[in-house]
Amino acid sequence: MTQPQPSTPSQPFHRPHKAWFILIGCILFQGGTTGILNNCLGVFYTAICTDLGFRTGDMSMYATIRTIVMALTMPFTMKLLKRYPLKLVLTVEMTGASLMLASMALFHHLVWWYISAAVMGLFASSLFSIPVTLIINNWFKKRNGFAVGLSLAASGLFGAVMNPVCSELILLLGWRWAVVASAGIAMALVVPAVILVLRLHPEDEGLKPYGAEDTLPAELKKNMPAGTVSYRKPWLVLGLCIIVCSCALWTSQYYSHMARYAQSVGHDLKVSALVTSCAMVGNIIGKVVLGAIADKWNIWRTSRLAMGIVGTAYILLVAGGEEINLYLMYFASGLSGVSMAAATLIPNLLSLDVYKASGYQEKYGIITAVGTFVSAIGFAIIGYSFDFTGSYTLSFIISTGTVIVFFIASFILYRIVRRDQDGDDGTETVPVKPVRRMEAEPA
């Protein structure tokens, strides 16, 4: 009689860490907020200016006022995330911001856009990017740069998809009903993710951050440097951080101008929407790739790579002139989309590297608030430079200069940070060249 064979024990099922579900929620959140409420405005600006006869600069003041209010109120509203439940704060902010977007359908005079811009800025002051980066940094110690990049890339993905959709809605329904539909889609994406998925701290769920159980010192040093650091001239370090991050934020202000730029060189609304989508594709690829590169390299090298790509885009747009080749315009627009990746990744990861985990959140709020204020000024300058010159060439030249300022300030800041951090905690993200030469010398 055949003896029964012992059964092989089944392998235990390892459920994915909840951090990955949090990441999915952050993707939906970022796509609905920045992706729709922010990155699709350019198509509506173009339709509104055409319908009501507004100047580009006058319409750009909507974003400028909104961004200035965001910068002024950001330090206060960020405290709400500590004081009140995350679900409550983000649901109220998203509801208010969506209603402000939908209310555009009722407006006929610029003054109403300016009033709604101030109210929108109040609701959106801690809505765009900041909650996502805070949540990801709390939930991911391992692969932090990749998770931040992927979640923030959702704004580009949804922007790339929704810009042509909004263009078609405008052609079918008119821009007034199209803006209402966009606000509704944004709400449908964000509110369920906030209520059902997002949590600020893993400890609230009785969990540790993803990667906290692993012994990966090098990875942890790159992604979440621990401890504190003091600088000989803290005001100089903070000032240089603000300059570096403000330059990145300045160059990202073309997301709502690319459609208008395409029309200014003789293309219709569909081509204009496609140009904006190309920028959003650059945004997506930039955030994912740069986030992964930041894990392998460091934020210093990664930021220089990103801003080098952005500077190349502006040089191509200037060189193309008014008769720019259509495919060159698509390509340059895609490269310019990397500026949106730089504007979200650089302030977040650079603040983390400079101030470590203990001082990150406080300084990140200051740096982001000032950078947001500067970007608001940049948005208005871009719009009015077009009104006064009839071309975006001047603004592209100014932004190329901003990239140069970034590189100068970045190199100075890096030298100061590496000098003062040496000996504090031993964290060193880039091998020093003299050490490499000593290792190569014969004994």
Side-chain angles (χ1 to χ4, degrees):
M1 183 175 180
T2 305
Q3 296 293 326
Q5 297 295 323
S7 60
T8 303
S10 59
Q11 294 295 324
F13 173 73
H14 295 285
R15 181 174 178 172
H17 195 287
K18 188 169 182 178
W20 297 107
F21 296 99
I22 295 293
L23 177 59
I24 294 172
C26 287
I27 288 172
L28 295 174
F29 180 89
Q30 189 69 7
T33 55
T34 309
I36 296 178
L37 298 186
N38 196 59
N39 291 350
C40 292
L41 286 178
V43 177
F44 291 110
Y45 287 167
T46 303
I48 292 168
C49 289
T50 302
D51 182 29
L52 301 180
F54 298 150
R55 295 186 303 177
T56 301
D58 292 337
M59 198 64 217
S60 296
M61 284 300 296
Y62 170 87
T64 300
I65 293 171
R66 185 196 67 180
T67 308
I68 289 174
V69 173
M70 286 173 59
L72 294 175
T73 57
M74 193 179 295
F76 303 101
T77 55
M78 281 186 67
K79 294 179 180 179
L80 297 175
L81 296 174
K82 295 181 179 180
R83 190 168 183 180
Y84 298 101
L86 184 73
K87 294 180 184 179
L88 176 63
V89 174
L90 296 185
T91 300
V92 170
E93 288 185 340
M94 184 60 193
T95 302
S98 298
L99 289 175
M100 286 300 101
L101 179 66
S103 68
M104 286 186 186
L106 305 174
F107 302 159
H108 291 84
H109 301 286
L110 276 171
V111 64
W112 292 111
W113 266 280
Y114 296 162
I115 292 172
S116 71
V119 180
M120 173 74 127
L122 180 62
F123 281 114
S125 56
S126 58
L127 197 64
F128 297 150
S129 300
I130 290 178
V132 167
T133 55
L134 291 178
I135 292 169
I136 292 296
N137 283 332
N138 287 336
W139 278 88
F140 284 84
K141 284 186 177 288
K142 179 183 175 184
R143 306 194 72 185
N144 171 266
F146 170 77
V148 169
L150 184 61
S151 59
L152 295 181
S155 62
L157 174 61
F158 282 79
V161 172
M162 285 300 298
N163 267 283
V165 171
C166 290
S167 175
E168 290 297 328
L169 289 174
I170 290 170
L171 294 174
L172 291 173
L173 306 175
W175 67 265
R176 296 184 184 276
W177 281 110
V179 80
V180 173
S182 297
I185 294 171
M187 280 283 290
L189 287 170
V190 172
V191 173
V194 169
I195 294 176
L196 300 177
V197 181
L198 295 185
R199 301 293 183 271
L200 187 57
H201 298 286
E203 292 78 11
D204 298 340
E205 302 290 303
L207 300 171
K208 292 181 179 180
Y210 176 75
E213 68 281 0
D214 297 338
T215 55
L216 297 171
E219 189 80 8
L220 294 181
K221 284 181 180 179
K222 288 180 183 178
N223 295 335
M224 185 62 72
T228 60
V229 63
S230 60
Y231 294 104
R232 301 175 198 177
K233 297 180 179 179
W235 56 271
L236 179 59
V237 172
L238 180 59
L240 287 169
C241 280
I242 288 173
I243 292 172
V244 168
C245 296
S246 295
C247 288
L249 285 161
W250 176 291
T251 60
S252 70
Q253 294 308 299
Y254 285 97
Y255 62 89
S256 293
H257 285 282
M258 294 311 295
R260 189 67 168 166
Y261 161 70
Q263 284 196 329
S264 74
V265 293
H267 297 287
D268 60 19
L269 182 61
K270 288 188 176 181
V271 171
S272 301
L274 185 55
V275 167
T276 305
S277 292
C278 288
M280 294 303 145
V281 170
N283 179 12
I284 300 165
I285 297 173
K287 285 175 179 174
V288 175
V289 173
L290 292 174
I293 290 175
D295 282 336
K296 299 295 182 183
W297 291 359
N298 57 64
I299 186 56
W300 302 94
R301 289 179 178 176
T302 306
S303 64
R304 290 167 196 156
L305 172 63
M307 293 301 284
I309 294 172
V310 172
T312 301
Y314 297 142
I315 291 171
L316 290 175
L317 291 170
V318 171
E322 297 296 317
E323 303 296 328
I324 186 171
N325 177 272
L326 179 62
Y327 296 103
L328 178 61
M329 182 172 64
Y330 288 151
F331 177 69
S333 297
L335 293 183
S336 74
V338 176
S339 64
M340 289 177 274
T344 48
L345 289 173
I346 291 174
N348 175 34
L349 297 181
L350 186 136
S351 300
L352 193 60
D353 186 87
V354 172
Y355 290 105
K356 307 299 181 67
S358 60
Y360 156 73
Q361 188 163 334
E362 176 189 356
K363 293 299 190 295
Y364 176 57
I366 296 171
I367 292 167
T368 304
V370 177
T372 302
F373 183 82
V374 172
S375 69
I377 298 173
F379 198 95
I381 289 176
I382 292 168
Y384 278 114
S385 69
F386 171 76
D387 288 333
F388 295 146
T389 66
S391 169
Y392 279 97
T393 300
L394 177 60
S395 68
F396 290 145
I397 293 172
I398 293 172
S399 295
T400 303
T402 305
V403 173
I404 294 172
V405 172
F406 166 87
F407 275 96
I408 295 172
S410 174
F411 278 108
I412 295 173
L413 177 62
Y414 175 77
R415 291 181 66 88
I416 294 173
V417 168
R418 291 281 78 86
R419 179 198 68 193
D420 290 358
Q421 283 192 8
D422 284 349
D424 285 340
D425 63 0
T427 300
E428 190 66 37
T429 55
V430 180
V432 182
K433 289 184 179 179
V435 174
R436 189 173 295 175
R437 287 199 296 268
M438 288 175 62
E439 293 175 350
E441 291 175 356

